[in-house]
Amino acid sequence: MLSMEINGRPAGVEDVHRVATWNYGHFTSMQVREGAVRGLELHLRRLASGSRELFGETCAEDGARIRELVRHGLGDRSAASVRVSLVPAVDSSARTDVMVSVSDPVADTPRPALRVRTVTYERELPHLKHAATLGLTYQALQARKAGFDDVLFVGRDGCVREGSVWNAAFWDGEQVLWPEAPVLPGITMQLLQAALTRVGVPWSTRRLTTGDLPALRAAAATNSHCPDQPLAAVDRVLFPGDDTELTEVLAAAWAEVPWDSV
């Protein structure tokens, strides 16, 4: 079941039309379980910094208000997928409205290992989780039309960046590698990096090209839906199906990430 609210009231047709036809804004997506979220403070910081950059205001810096709106949107649901969007306001007294969309929870267990293909594509303002998603959606759909499960973006400099809606992690047999490139600093990626440090698993960021991939032992996609989704192949580079070290260390680190009450 899907519900949508604007500033704590049910979203009307005019609200949905406005958001759908004015492709300007930013958002964060989170998974709620038993009324709690992993990395809630990071989600709130993302909303605050994005609002300052796109709207020049500090509305979203009121974390207490955002949490109140999320709680209101959840109602009596203890588990859900929640998207909090900051969009241009209709009311001239404010610059943004807060839209909270609540839908059924998604399974957080990995799917069968994915086959992805690379494409040269760079998201606009890659450090922001913004609403301008036509380009990445087009590339993902084209990859699926070609028989792949998803797409991995490579910059014009030849360096690996990020997936369509996920960060990429790699394993060289000794440490977790994250591409050093202009990418969205995913909340799940940030939480995993901190947790890997706590559990003593080495990790680093490194400039990676597609030419580096054959020397790596495993790859995974990480986002709010799943922190350890294995990748079976990138283009023609196959990763050993029996090498589960990467997904095991990611899952073990994720289990150490605390939950924050909404």
Side-chain angles (χ1 to χ4, degrees):
M1 184 178 73
L2 172 66
S3 64
M4 301 175 68
E5 294 185 346
I6 292 276
N7 301 328
R9 60 170 176 78
V13 174
E14 297 83 0
D15 298 312
V16 176
H17 178 267
R18 169 166 55 98
V19 174
T21 56
W22 194 356
N23 194 26
Y24 191 84
H26 66 103
F27 66 97
T28 195
S29 297
M30 60 187 79
Q31 303 303 314
V32 178
R33 300 294 184 271
E34 297 183 4
V37 174
R38 281 182 165 116
L40 181 58
E41 288 303 317
L42 293 180
H43 286 286
L44 296 176
R45 287 181 209 166
R46 167 186 277 173
L47 294 175
S49 62
S51 287
R52 285 195 299 271
E53 184 162 351
L54 294 182
F55 299 102
E57 69 161 26
T58 58
C59 159
E61 290 200 41
D62 186 354
R65 176 173 178 256
I66 299 295
R67 294 171 77 157
E68 179 183 354
L69 292 172
V70 170
R71 287 194 298 269
H72 192 274
L74 284 167
D76 60 0
R77 293 195 233 187
S78 62
S81 293
V82 174
R83 172 169 166 156
V84 181
S85 304
L86 275 292
V87 299
V90 171
D91 184 350
S92 60
S93 67
R95 292 186 182 177
T96 58
D97 286 334
V98 181
M99 172 178 276
V100 176
S101 305
V102 179
S103 58
D104 293 336
V106 296
D108 56 5
T109 53
R111 293 176 286 164
L114 307 180
R115 294 175 58 252
V116 304
R117 79 169 181 183
T118 58
V119 63
T120 301
Y121 177 74
E122 300 174 1
R123 291 191 310 110
E124 292 180 306
L125 303 174
H127 60 290
L128 295 178
K129 194 172 181 69
H130 54 70
T133 59
L134 184 148
L136 71 84
T137 302
Y138 173 81
Q139 298 295 349
L141 291 175
Q142 290 298 110
R144 289 168 191 152
K145 187 182 295 185
F148 294 86
D149 297 304
D150 211 328
V151 65
L152 177 63
F153 300 140
V154 174
R156 286 169 289 184
D157 58 1
C159 291
V160 174
R161 289 197 167 193
E162 57 193 341
S164 59
V165 292
W166 41 271
N167 289 111
F170 299 92
W171 180 251
D172 67 0
E174 296 181 355
Q175 65 175 327
V176 180
L177 300 175
W178 308 88
E180 182 182 332
V183 301
L184 178 72
I187 303 299
T188 299
M189 180 181 74
Q190 294 180 61
L191 293 172
L192 282 171
Q193 290 174 345
L196 287 168
T197 298
R198 287 198 300 273
V199 300
V201 175
W203 65 270
S204 66
T205 59
R206 183 184 303 176
R207 290 172 64 85
L208 295 170
T209 68
T210 53
D212 296 320
L213 300 187
L216 301 178
R217 293 177 51 173
T222 69
N223 64 12
S224 71
H225 289 178
C226 181
D228 58 342
Q229 172 59 54
L231 302 183
V234 176
D235 296 332
R236 295 184 178 180
V237 177
L238 302 178
F239 296 107
D242 58 352
D243 192 333
T244 60
E245 282 184 283
L246 176 59
T247 52
E248 287 175 356
V249 298
L250 292 177
W254 190 243
E256 297 298 317
V257 177
W259 292 86
D260 304 315
S261 296
V262 176

